[in-house]
Amino acid sequence: EPEVTQTPSHQVTQMGQEVILRCVPISNHLYFYWYRQILGQKVEFLVSFYNNEISEKSEIFDDQFSVERPDGSNFTLKIRSTKLEDSAMYFCASSWGQGARQPQHFGDGTRLSIL
Amino acid sequence: AQSVSQHNHHVILSEAASLELGCNYSYGGTVNLFWYVQYPGQHLQLLLKYFSGDPLVKGIKGFEAEFIKSKFSFNLRKPSVQWSDTAEYFCAVNAENNDMRFGAGTRLTVKP
């Protein structure tokens, strides 16, 4: 069964540095998402992406965050200047259709640790 | 905006015990409901989903969930748990606005 893959599995970064989290969605999926899960808290929606543009974003997704689909397969999340509170598990997801009728398939997640 | 509540933070059961994990949501319109499972060190996996039709939904690994619209609930059940069911379980709600909201999760520990 095709899977969403994320790299790296664990990223350790100094506060203030830029970090890029990478995702390869399922190949025929059209909608892409990023979520995060701070330790001990719920999974929170960050952003959705369709047709090469952001379709929706949460209040968490401020100017420090950006997403990109640089080629036909990768979907990246960039945090420009990381803060301690950005430490979390970041999950990428993709779906074939728009969320209400198509379940999102999640990757393994990238654990981001900010020092 | 919709919200999701999972009442049990941590549930501990012995093998063969029956399981019911509660999930309530708040949203007045049409919703689609999901249960995801996250085994230790692994990704979120879809257990089952409800879009419409029969409110009793059967998923993988012997799990089922019942949508009770009047109670805004979508509880997850399994008649007899196994040690391998030890995981974190997340209820999620997707409404017409396409936003997906997750509950805080319930950690299930099954003792052999």
Side-chain angles (χ1 to χ4, degrees):
Chain A
E1 185 178 324
E3 291 187 341
V4 176
T5 56
Q6 290 185 242
T7 54
S9 57
H10 190 191
Q11 173 79 46
V12 181
T13 302
Q14 293 285 338
M15 186 173 61
Q17 295 295 306
E18 174 184 285
V19 67
I20 298 176
L21 309 182
R22 302 180 192 280
C23 169
V24 179
I26 293 172
S27 62
N28 64 344
H29 283 186
L30 302 175
Y31 293 81
F32 314 110
Y33 312 84
W34 281 102
Y35 294 81
R36 78 173 185 192
Q37 185 181 24
I38 294 172
L39 185 65
Q41 299 185 25
K42 65 176 68 176
V43 178
E44 301 171 292
F45 169 77
L46 291 178
V47 66
S48 60
F49 191 87
Y50 170 71
N51 200 27
N52 282 320
E53 60 183 28
I54 291 173
S55 51
E56 192 174 353
K57 61 182 181 180
S58 71
E59 59 274 11
I60 302 167
F61 194 88
D62 61 23
D63 292 343
Q64 293 287 81
F65 292 90
S66 62
V67 289
E68 195 178 28
R69 190 153 161 80
D71 51 42
S73 60
N74 290 283
F75 179 52
T76 61
L77 174 70
K78 183 193 290 186
I79 308 174
R80 186 168 35 238
S81 177
T82 50
K83 304 187 283 283
L84 292 175
E85 53 264 38
D86 294 327
S87 294
M89 282 288 288
Y90 287 81
F91 291 99
C92 174
S94 69
S95 63
W96 184 83
Q98 199 161 2
R101 290 288 159 184
Q102 295 293 334
Q104 297 170 23
H105 296 255
F106 284 81
D108 285 342
T110 293
R111 186 191 307 173
L112 177 62
S113 299
I114 307 299
L115 305 179
Chain B
Q2 69 270 27
S3 65
V4 183
S5 299
Q6 289 182 246
H7 316 296
N8 310 105
H9 182 63
H10 189 190
V11 172
I12 302 172
L13 296 173
S14 298
E15 274 195 313
S18 65
L19 169 72
E20 180 158 3
L21 301 182
C23 173
N24 286 89
Y25 66 93
S26 64
Y27 184 74
T30 302
V31 293
N32 303 294
L33 300 156
F34 306 83
W35 275 97
Y36 285 88
V37 61
Q38 187 175 29
Y39 297 103
Q42 295 187 29
H43 57 86
L44 287 166
Q45 295 176 42
L46 183 65
L47 264 183
L48 48 80
K49 60 185 185 289
Y50 172 80
F51 289 159
S52 63
D54 188 345
L56 185 61
V57 180
K58 296 203 183 294
I60 61 172
K61 307 187 182 190
F63 286 91
E64 65 178 32
E66 185 174 11
F67 171 51
I68 302 179
K69 190 173 181 180
S70 60
K71 294 185 178 180
F72 297 89
S73 70
F74 189 57
N75 292 355
L76 181 71
R77 299 195 292 248
K78 185 170 183 178
S80 176
V81 294
Q82 301 170 306
W83 176 79
S84 57
D85 293 324
T86 294
E88 187 108 18
Y89 292 81
F90 294 92
C91 180
V93 173
N94 180 224
E96 296 126 328
N97 61 5
N98 201 36
D99 196 359
M100 189 88 143
R101 295 293 174 109
F102 286 79
T106 297
R107 192 194 326 164
L108 173 64
T109 301
V110 180
K111 296 187 290 186

